[in-house]
Amino acid sequence: MMKFDKDKLIIGAAGPVLALVSSFVLTMLVLLATGLDPIEPIRLMIDNAAYSDIQVLIVNQTGIYYLAALAVAIGFRMNLFNIGVDGQYRLAAMLSAVVGAAVELPGPLHILLIVLVAALTGAFWAGIAGILKTTRGVSEVVSTIMLNAIATSLIAWLILPKNLGVQPPGSNDLTTGKIAESGWFPGIDMGQGNGEIYGFTFVALALGVVYWFVLGRTRFGFDLRATGESESAAQASGVDAKKMVLTSMLLSGGLAGLSGMPTLLGDTHTYSLSFPVGVGFTAITIALLGRNHPVGILFAALLFAFLDKASSSLDVEGYPKEITQIMQGIIVIAVVVSYELVRRYGTRRQQQKVGEELAAGGALKTDTTDKEVSA
């Protein structure tokens, strides 16, 4: 029977709880300082989330955030900071949309081709940072930030009509052309004009299960986590640390590339310059808040999706929608501070427990010696 470590469970939950509570309190203080009611915006968002169409938007956004956060989490488990998820996600969506619009295959094959192109593009773009780190020692933080900027410029160039883009007649918008209906991923129609839940959202949840199994129940996952804890120790036990770094970046980029699939295959069916941006940066906070655990990430993604979509009516009621951005920003700061406080407490608690065990062992040894002498 599995024995639960109560201290470990409490410390594991304390970080996210402290981050959320402190961010909520700080947000209310900001609203008070600006002369606004600190409670009313929260109530309005909760009321707004009761509508079926908003719930569909929240679910769909959760799937997008979940995929992107899993991509970030893979890097974190290897002690890598993949800041380039946003660039990987957008470049993958753009090139997969180009391929999807250029061919027309039977439904499953068409979808599979688009998904493969997205995953391979994301993996390739992240792999550049992985190769730079393993061969030249370049920090993945620096390289992925630079690759984000390069991806933005590359997309802007590729989508020009003289290259891979298409400009619809009478429009100033540039797109990659419309993907044929055979390349649309079927979703669940909620009826009554409430919209459709993207079918790829369920793929995202399935990939969360795969993430949990691979990292927690396989030798590869153990090697990955061990290398993240200590490269030298992993190498001493026979693990190729450089290979694990590169593999982790490829996997992270592949998942990042899939982050655009819910929107591309379930909604827009094309890529344009109005495609959502900033997903990768939000995913960093979600992965941190969820402590890189697939269940924790899911709830964190749901929270951020709620803040995004349920705030749509705030400006109608006289409250700026930027309140949610303030809250998200405060959550980032709160996560960093609260996790550091919890880490320090956990270290002190562990030292205290070790001291108590050593003291108990010393007392037992002394008692045993006294009995032997008496005998």
Side-chain angles (χ1 to χ4, degrees):
M1 185 176 181
M2 185 181 293
K3 183 179 179 181
F4 288 97
D5 187 335
K6 186 175 70 173
D7 285 344
K8 185 177 180 181
L9 188 64
I10 292 174
I11 290 173
V17 171
L18 182 59
L20 290 175
V21 171
S22 59
S23 62
F24 180 71
V25 172
L26 288 172
T27 301
M28 289 197 297
L29 291 176
V30 169
L31 291 173
L32 280 173
T34 56
L36 297 173
D37 189 324
I39 303 297
E40 185 65 11
I42 306 298
R43 187 191 67 78
L44 289 171
M45 284 193 288
I46 293 174
D47 290 345
N48 203 27
Y51 293 102
S52 300
D53 56 338
I54 300 298
Q55 291 171 359
V56 170
L57 293 175
I58 291 173
V59 171
N60 288 336
Q61 191 65 41
T62 298
I64 297 168
Y65 281 157
Y66 190 57
L67 281 170
L70 287 178
V72 174
I74 289 177
F76 282 159
R77 297 301 293 267
M78 254 297 294
N79 204 23
L80 297 171
F81 206 159
N82 182 9
I83 302 182
V85 168
D86 204 66
Q88 295 150 21
Y89 141 85
R90 288 184 290 115
L91 186 61
M94 191 264 177
L95 291 180
S96 61
V98 169
V99 173
V103 301
E104 189 167 347
L105 298 169
L109 290 178
H110 198 173
I111 294 170
L112 181 61
L113 176 63
I114 294 171
V115 171
L116 283 176
V117 170
L120 291 174
T121 302
F124 169 76
W125 206 244
I128 296 174
I131 291 173
L132 288 173
K133 184 174 181 66
T134 54
T135 60
R136 310 301 299 175
V138 177
S139 168
E140 75 282 357
V141 175
V142 175
S143 58
T144 51
I145 289 175
M146 294 177 68
L147 284 167
N148 272 343
I150 294 172
T152 300
S153 299
L154 184 59
I155 290 169
W157 179 75
L158 287 174
I159 206 169
L160 292 175
K162 66 178 181 179
N163 297 317
L164 301 176
V166 175
Q167 185 170 5
S171 173
N172 292 325
D173 196 16
L174 297 177
T175 75
T176 55
K178 199 78 169 179
I179 296 173
E181 195 166 344
S182 58
W184 299 5
F185 201 104
I188 300 177
D189 188 358
M190 302 307 293
Q192 299 180 344
N194 292 321
E196 181 178 273
I197 295 178
Y198 301 152
F200 213 85
T201 299
F202 301 98
V203 176
L205 296 177
L207 288 173
V209 176
V210 173
Y211 167 91
W212 166 81
F213 179 79
V214 171
L215 265 69
R217 294 293 185 272
T218 66
R219 174 59 188 269
F220 170 78
F222 174 79
D223 289 346
L224 186 145
R225 288 182 284 113
T227 308
E229 291 291 335
S230 172
E231 284 193 22
S232 57
Q235 285 181 322
S237 63
V239 178
D240 188 338
K242 289 187 176 181
K243 180 181 178 182
M244 293 304 299
V245 168
L246 180 57
T247 302
S248 298
M249 288 302 294
L250 290 173
L251 289 174
S252 179
L255 268 178
L258 295 180
S259 303
M261 295 301 97
T263 303
L264 180 65
L265 300 180
D267 182 21
T268 63
H269 309 300
T270 187
Y271 184 93
S272 68
L273 295 179
S274 59
F275 207 79
V277 298
V279 171
F281 299 108
T282 303
I284 294 172
T285 307
I286 293 172
L288 286 171
L289 185 60
R291 299 201 69 127
N292 302 322
H293 191 281
V295 177
I297 292 173
L298 178 60
F299 283 109
L302 185 62
L303 170 65
F304 273 73
F306 164 80
L307 292 175
D308 281 347
K309 302 304 180 183
S311 61
S312 58
S313 65
L314 286 182
D315 51 352
V316 178
E317 301 293 336
Y319 292 93
K321 291 172 62 177
E322 288 72 20
I323 290 173
T324 58
Q325 296 176 5
I326 293 172
M327 184 175 289
Q328 290 174 358
I330 292 175
I331 288 175
V332 175
I333 299 172
V335 164
V336 174
V337 174
S338 62
Y339 279 17
E340 178 61 19
L341 292 175
V342 170
R343 186 193 67 79
R344 292 184 181 183
Y345 169 78
T347 302
R348 289 198 303 269
R349 178 59 181 159
Q350 189 66 27
Q351 291 172 344
Q352 183 182 357
K353 287 179 68 176
V354 171
E356 291 172 354
E357 291 173 0
L358 289 174
L364 179 62
K365 183 177 180 180
T366 302
D367 185 56
T368 303
T369 303
D370 290 343
K371 288 182 179 179
E372 289 176 353
V373 172
S374 300

